[in-house]
Amino acid sequence: MNRTDIWQGARTGAVVAFSTLPFGLLFGAVAVDGGVTPLEATIMSATIFGGASQLVGVQLFGHHVPAWLVVLSVFAVNFRHILYSAAMAPHVQDYTLGQRLLAFFFLTDPQFAESVKRSEETGRVSPIWYLSMAFVIYVVWVAGSALGAVFGKLITDPKAIAMDVLLPVYFLGLVLGFRRRANFLPVVAVSAAASILAMHTVGSPWHVSIGAIAGIIVAALLPEPKGTKAES
Amino acid sequence: MTTDLRTLLIILAAALATYATRIGGYVMITRMKTIPPRLERALNAVPGAVLATLVAPAFFDGGWDVKAALIVALLVGLRHAGFGLIIAGWGTAVLIRHFA
């Protein structure tokens, strides 16, 4: 039982790691290009473990902005994780304190999305499944950043191989995974519209939190549609 | 040698700030005795709502190569779950950039 959980978690982690590896490489390359050393880039991946926020961070390093602004920007990009950790509460009830503290460190976008999917499919997100998935993603992410930092100069034109398209396409796939949820269409439509509007008024990265909160408010205001199975 | 203390401290502060976002929501929600159904519905909407904000601006502000890639990915994703959508969307963008 535990062994299948380890194996299934690692397998899901491997699929996620495969699609995030290019970003690990890209992050390492961009970081070194912006004046961060390979060691610092690797430490960033190992301690922050959040791709988009790390990219924002190294860009600010390059502009020599004050330290608090770098930290605040990373916080802003990662702000959406507050929503994830609240939504994870029912799934980690039977975790030990240590498992819980560790699990929240690894709570990235794909980790959250796959965990929610897992609980819908099997009714449970076991700590062993969660952590083996997280471990595979983490190792590949940190190793990929280190490799990208050392060999980054080899990627001369990331646009030509469409690296910038991979992330939105990958997130689109995650969105589609939730399309059978209650009120999926109105929530996603409002989030999308609000994030575009916020992007052009308030600016990035706050468009993520503003858009998400708009969609979540819609979900709270709409009645539960008939025929949706209640989640335990 | 390959890092200076200031950079290292900034990185560690950013890591702490990130960890705070990853555990903060949980700490807040467990302080509540019961979760009202409205809040539960709101939390259920979190994945779709957040992930949509990571896609929509890319589509809206992207060139027609990015738009085409996302549309192809959407069409493939509605029929098949899994990895095919990533390959299809990414492949579309590569083809357009090399041949158009």
Side-chain angles (χ1 to χ4, degrees):
Chain A
M1 162 92 190
N2 265 358
R3 198 168 281 180
T4 46
D5 269 17
I6 293 180
W7 163 239
Q8 288 173 351
R11 205 174 43 183
T12 309
V15 173
V16 172
F18 181 80
S19 22
T20 51
L21 178 62
F23 304 105
L25 295 168
L26 179 72
F27 165 73
V30 169
V32 171
D33 203 43
V36 174
T37 68
L39 177 66
E40 287 162 355
T42 310
I43 293 174
M44 279 182 90
S45 284
T47 59
I48 300 175
F49 190 45
S53 68
Q54 290 175 223
L55 279 167
V56 169
V58 291
Q59 263 153 19
L60 293 177
F61 275 138
H63 293 288
H64 298 287
V65 301
W68 63 268
L69 194 59
V70 180
V71 177
L72 183 69
S73 304
V74 170
F75 180 77
V77 177
N78 287 325
F79 189 74
R80 66 184 182 284
H81 293 112
I82 287 186
L83 300 168
Y84 294 167
S85 79
M88 277 303 289
H91 305 303
V92 297
Q93 269 170 348
D94 56 344
Y95 288 31
T96 65
L97 180 64
Q99 287 170 339
R100 235 174 275 178
L101 292 176
L102 199 59
F104 284 117
F105 174 79
F106 293 116
L107 191 58
T108 55
D109 296 287
Q111 184 79 36
F112 173 65
E114 296 292 350
S115 298
V116 174
K117 238 196 270 176
R118 173 86 176 173
S119 93
E120 279 174 3
E121 284 162 9
T122 68
R124 181 161 185 256
V125 185
S126 76
I128 199 78
W129 177 89
Y130 183 101
L131 291 173
S132 56
M133 173 182 165
F135 183 71
V136 173
I137 300 172
Y138 182 75
V139 168
V140 173
W141 176 253
V142 176
S145 315
L147 279 176
V150 176
F151 299 107
K153 298 274 183 272
L154 298 179
I155 310 172
T156 47
D157 188 3
K159 266 212 123 167
I161 50 171
M163 296 244 280
D164 54 312
V165 179
L166 266 175
L167 206 54
V169 164
Y170 171 64
F171 285 134
L172 175 67
L174 288 179
V175 174
L176 288 177
F178 296 104
R179 67 181 183 276
R180 296 194 211 294
R181 283 207 158 189
N183 297 321
F184 171 81
L185 269 183
V187 168
V188 164
V190 168
S191 284
S195 69
I196 291 168
L197 202 68
M199 175 82 127
H200 289 269
T201 50
V202 188
S204 181
W206 293 106
H207 69 284
V208 174
S209 300
I210 294 170
I213 286 165
I216 289 164
I217 288 173
V218 167
L221 295 179
L222 285 174
E224 185 84 3
K226 282 182 195 120
T228 359
K229 61 173 182 350
E231 275 179 81
S232 55
Chain B
M1 183 182 79
T2 47
T3 183
D4 63 276
L5 190 62
R6 181 178 180 271
T7 309
L8 199 63
L9 286 176
I10 296 176
I11 292 172
L12 292 182
L16 274 178
T18 301
Y19 190 67
T21 66
R22 286 188 176 143
I23 200 162
Y26 172 78
V27 171
M28 279 188 267
I29 207 99
T30 46
R31 291 285 140 94
M32 304 173 69
K33 290 248 157 55
T34 53
I35 298 178
R38 212 171 265 288
L39 180 60
E40 202 177 333
R41 283 210 296 281
L43 288 176
N44 266 325
V46 167
V50 178
L51 293 167
T53 70
L54 301 176
V55 181
F59 179 85
F60 189 79
D61 294 329
W64 61 282
D65 48 349
V66 178
K67 287 187 172 68
L70 283 167
I71 289 169
V72 169
L74 175 68
L75 294 177
V76 173
L78 285 175
R79 292 185 154 246
H80 311 279
F83 216 59
L85 146 157
I86 296 175
I87 301 295
W90 171 73
T92 303
V94 172
L95 287 178
I96 290 175
R97 283 181 192 172
H98 281 271
F99 297 107

